[in-house]
Amino acid sequence: MGTTQLESVPEPKYWHLRTVLSEALDSEFAVGEILPNERELAARFGVARATLRQALEQLELEGRLQRRRGVGTTVAPPRVGVSVGTSGDTWPDAGDDAWQAVDSTLTTPPAAVARMLETDAREPVHTVRRSRVSHGQPVAAELLYIPSRSVPDLSAIDAPTGTTRARAVLRELQRQPLEGQDRSVELGSAGADDAKELDRLPGAPVLVVTTRYLCEGRTAAVSVATYRADTCRLTFGDSGGVEIHHGPETRAS
């Protein structure tokens, strides 16, 4: 690769570098290809490594790059669409739900979740952990918080933990009349547990989708799903759930 010096521009240097790097990704690199190290890139573009890191972090946030443990920085594949619908409400694990149940335990939820559930801050709730895989790679992890009142007959089921217990909790939840759900989306950063499950570095950008399920005028369950921001993009439609569609032209049904 030749040497390309940046011209003086009024915009922040890292942002201009981000544009130049983006063009280079389109013309010089293939999906999955490993970028040169920071020293080589900084020398090529005539910038400080701190400026380079800012530009690389921005491109990672936009889904153009991926930082992989033991590999380095690679060119990311196109994002898959995450459709956040507003109708066709269903309980988790019902219908064409693409999530896979992993485990279920009794744990004390985060304070914000306890407030949504209207439970005591110290009251343990059923916490179902689920995962989602697309094209062989993990794209999302979910914690589904369900108070005991939403699954009153669960005590008769002899399955203390594991996938069997998780499925039992979800089956009992589906016995309740679902009145509706609401959903919010925000940008966050991966904590240690999410980063490990999603094969990301701690602090990597993620999309956090919080769903509140309503039954008999109360919150029956709260889902906190964490999506990889480098591989997912949000689309809005009427599909009624969070779905993953492949290909940039695919639209929510």
Side-chain angles (χ1 to χ4, degrees):
M1 294 188 297
T3 300
T4 304
Q5 296 294 327
L6 295 179
E7 299 177 356
S8 177
V9 291
E11 62 187 352
K13 183 172 285 190
Y14 87 90
W15 190 262
H16 183 64
L17 176 59
R18 167 251 174 218
T19 302
V20 174
L21 282 171
S22 183
E23 293 173 352
L25 294 179
D26 291 334
S27 61
E28 301 179 32
F29 296 91
V31 170
E33 188 172 348
I34 302 174
L35 266 62
N37 60 41
E38 288 185 358
R39 179 180 57 79
E40 294 175 353
L41 287 174
R44 171 182 174 180
F45 294 105
V47 298
R49 291 177 69 172
T51 300
L52 175 69
R53 289 193 189 103
Q54 284 184 292
L56 294 177
E57 288 172 359
Q58 180 62 37
L59 287 170
E60 182 184 17
L61 183 63
E62 295 173 11
R64 298 300 311 278
L65 298 176
Q66 292 180 347
R67 285 186 292 178
R68 301 171 58 191
R69 292 187 182 90
V71 176
T73 301
T74 63
V75 180
R79 287 178 172 177
V80 293
V82 178
S83 174
V84 181
T86 57
S87 63
D89 300 331
T90 59
W91 286 117
D93 209 40
D96 296 327
D97 193 336
W99 292 89
Q100 297 296 317
V102 177
D103 196 5
S104 177
T105 56
L106 273 173
T107 57
T108 302
V113 173
R115 287 193 294 271
M116 283 190 282
L117 292 173
E118 300 177 22
T119 59
D120 185 277
R122 295 165 295 181
E123 179 184 339
V125 301
H126 299 283
T127 304
V128 175
R129 185 163 58 92
R130 301 198 299 169
S131 64
R132 193 159 188 181
V133 175
S134 179
H135 283 189
Q137 71 172 1
V139 295
E142 180 196 52
L143 290 176
L144 183 65
Y145 301 97
I146 305 167
S148 296
R149 66 171 185 267
S150 296
V151 285
D153 296 328
L154 191 64
S155 58
I157 299 174
D158 184 18
T161 59
T163 303
T164 302
R165 178 71 172 189
R167 290 173 178 166
V169 172
L170 294 173
R171 282 197 303 270
E172 288 302 312
L173 181 64
Q174 292 167 24
R175 296 177 185 271
Q176 308 305 314
L178 177 63
E179 295 176 351
Q181 61 190 51
D182 57 52
R183 183 177 290 112
S184 64
V185 182
E186 61 185 328
L187 182 65
S189 56
D193 291 341
D194 286 335
K196 182 177 181 181
E197 190 160 353
L198 297 176
D199 191 25
R200 306 291 288 121
L201 295 173
V206 293
L207 299 170
V208 182
V209 180
T210 302
T211 306
R212 190 166 63 105
Y213 296 89
L214 306 175
C215 173
E216 298 180 343
R218 303 185 67 179
T219 301
V222 171
S223 161
V224 180
T226 303
Y227 286 81
R228 290 179 53 155
D230 62 320
T231 59
C232 296
R233 60 180 174 82
L234 294 181
T235 60
F236 295 85
D238 296 323
S239 60
V242 179
E243 302 174 354
I244 292 183
H245 303 277
H246 299 286
E249 302 301 324
T250 304
R251 301 178 61 184
S253 58

